[in-house]
Amino acid sequence: MAKGMILEKDDSTFQASCAKGLVLVDFSATWCAPCRALEPILEQLSIDMQSTCSVVKIDVDASPKVTTQFQITSVPTMILMKDET
C-alpha cells in the first residue's frame, strides 16, 4: 500500500478492488512528472474520503491488461467507478 490510504493494484488484483462502492482509479506511471505531482493530493483525498471512497493506483507500465481494458492512452488519467461488479 502506498502512503496515505491509496491501494496499489495490478492486473491480477484490480477487479476485486472495484467490485463494491465508490472507487477513484488513478492511472499513472513512475516516469510521469504530473502523476508524481498529483500523488500528495490523492494521498490526502484518500485519507479525507476513506469512509466514502477508495483510491486505487494503477501503474500503466506494470498493468497492461487493465490499461487496455479502459483504453488509457495518456497519464495521468482518473476514472470514478461505482459498484463495478
Side-chain angles (χ1 to χ4, degrees), residues 6-76:
I6 297 175
L7 304 171
E8 293 182 3
K9 300 295 181 176
D10 59 23
D11 284 340
S12 63
T13 59
F14 173 74
Q15 199 66 33
S17 65
C18 295
K20 191 164 186 173
L22 196 59
V23 179
L24 177 64
V25 183
D26 171 35
F27 290 90
S28 62
T30 56
W31 48 263
C32 171
C35 299
R36 290 193 306 269
L38 277 173
E39 192 164 341
I41 297 164
L42 292 174
E43 287 174 2
Q44 188 60 50
L45 179 70
S46 71
I47 293 167
D48 293 345
M49 301 293 291
Q50 65 183 333
S51 63
T52 308
C53 178
S54 299
V55 179
V56 172
K57 182 176 184 173
I58 299 288
D59 183 331
V60 296
D61 294 325
S63 303
K65 286 183 182 179
V66 175
T67 302
T68 302
Q69 175 185 352
F70 288 96
Q71 300 176 349
I72 304 302
T73 58
S74 63
V75 290

